[in-house]
Amino acid sequence: MGHAESKFEPANIAVLTVSDTRTEENDTSGRYFVDALEDAGHKLADKKIVKDDIYQIRAIISQWVADESVQAVLITGGTGFTSRDSTPEAVRPLFDKEVEGFGELFRAVSYEEIGTSTIQSRAIAGFANHTVIFAMPGSTGACRTGWTKIIRQQMDASHRPCNFMPHLKG
């Protein structure tokens, strides 16, 4: 299919909330991602909440990366500087390729909203087994910024000049 003919294709996206305190009842960031991806026409592949533990995070992401039906993962939480924030350390070893530009762009657009506090975000993204993984801070505002300013466009096959859809499994 040529570039001019590409149209929106729904992706199967999993959502992971990394938190020692969030539950399904108060997980506003995870709920935001579910609503946003479904509103955009994508399908929720799975949703989980996990404690901020490198090995538990890595185990869930690894399971999704190995699942042929999961094409993308949105992670909220665990990207700061507290002793419990370990999302980047958990997911980075799984990456076949890191998407350095995601963290750079996330902090650039976030700067317009929160100023220099954006330097405390360790937002990262990468590919593992043809699954794109985006990790963002735990605040719902940060998730909204990441989704509306970056991810939504990159998960749309009609977005030009390029997007991530041709690189995903499936």
Side-chain angles (χ1 to χ4, degrees), residues 126-156:
F127 279 89
N129 191 31
H130 302 284
T131 304
V132 65
I133 301 164
F134 299 97
M136 287 149 284
S139 77
T140 305
C143 294
R144 184 177 300 107
T145 296
W147 178 262
T148 61
K149 303 276 176 79
I150 307 168
I151 301 168
R152 183 177 58 202
Q153 295 88 346
Q154 286 300 303
M155 294 300 298
D156 183 343

Side-chain angles (χ1 to χ4, degrees), residues 54-147:
I54 288 175
Y55 301 100
Q56 290 182 39
I57 296 166
R58 200 175 286 162
I60 292 169
I61 300 300
S62 294
Q63 189 174 25
W64 285 339
V65 164
D67 184 334
E68 282 303 311
S69 69
V70 177
Q71 298 171 292
V73 176
L74 303 177
I75 306 170
T76 173
T79 62
F81 284 99
T82 74
S83 62
R84 296 288 297 159
D85 288 325
S86 57
T87 299
E89 290 76 17
V91 299
R92 190 172 276 123
L94 301 176
F95 290 163
D96 300 317
K97 293 185 179 175
E98 190 163 347
V99 181
E100 291 88 351
F102 175 74
E104 296 164 358
L105 184 56
F106 179 86
R107 285 180 285 280
V109 297
S110 180
Y111 178 78
E112 301 303 318
E113 299 168 10
I114 64 169
T116 60
S117 293
T118 193
I119 66 168
Q120 294 198 32
S121 163
R122 297 188 305 139
I124 63 167
F127 279 89
N129 191 31
H130 302 284
T131 304
V132 65
I133 301 164
F134 299 97
M136 287 149 284
S139 77
T140 305
C143 294
R144 184 177 300 107
T145 296
W147 178 262

